């Protein structure tokens, strides 16, 4: 199962020409996120250890969309400015192809 998940993340990563692709799990109490899987491109540093016990409030805007079965699309990281997710994304050196 772990190998299949890693392979799927690799396919997603390649499709979007991304540096990293993650899977997060929400804790049983619904208060934190745990990065359980990460795929990184060659030459990109892994961040999985830095993304453990992340307060779910950091991505509350995203969760609101997901609970409505909506897509949350971020065209640039600057879109997140002023939200709790912005700092987390900055720490991960997340940018978009639009920048």
């Amino acid at each position: 199962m772990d190998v299949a998940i890693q392979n799927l993340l690799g396919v997603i990563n390649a499709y979007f020409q991304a540096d990293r692709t993650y899977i997060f799990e929400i804790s049983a109490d619904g208060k934190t996120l745990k990065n359980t899987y990460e795929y990184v491109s060659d030459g990109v540093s892994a961040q999985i250890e830095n993304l453990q016990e992340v307060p779910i409030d950091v991505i509350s805007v995203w969760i609101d969309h997901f609970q409505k079965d909506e897509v949350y699309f971020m065209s640039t990281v600057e879109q997140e400015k002023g939200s709790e997710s912005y700092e987390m994304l900055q720490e991960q050196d997340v940018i978009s192809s639009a920048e």
Side-chain angles (χ1 to χ4, degrees):
M1 178 78 91
D2 289 341
V3 171
I5 291 171
Q6 283 300 121
N7 288 340
L8 176 59
L9 287 177
V11 169
I12 293 168
N13 204 70
Y15 178 81
F16 287 103
Q17 299 175 349
D19 289 337
R20 296 184 198 94
T21 308
Y22 305 112
I23 292 179
F24 284 89
E25 291 183 41
I26 299 173
S27 64
D29 64 8
K31 294 181 180 180
T32 59
L33 302 166
K34 178 181 179 184
N35 184 191
T36 51
Y37 293 94
E38 175 186 47
Y39 181 93
V40 296
S41 297
D42 291 339
V44 175
S45 63
Q47 296 292 319
I48 193 167
E49 295 303 320
N50 299 325
L51 296 170
Q52 303 301 315
E53 303 302 318
V54 176
I56 200 162
D57 292 340
V58 170
I59 61 163
S60 61
V61 173
W62 306 358
I63 295 293
D64 290 343
H65 284 271
F66 300 155
Q67 288 175 334
K68 296 174 193 170
D69 291 328
E70 296 174 350
V71 171
Y72 184 76
F73 178 74
M74 184 184 340
S75 57
T76 69
V77 173
E78 296 305 309
Q79 174 183 326
E80 299 294 301
K81 217 171 204 171
S83 69
E84 293 189 52
S85 62
Y86 184 74
E87 185 176 324
M88 178 185 68
L89 294 167
Q90 289 283 305
E91 289 174 3
Q92 305 308 309
D93 293 325
V94 173
I95 58 171
S96 73
S97 59
E99 291 184 10

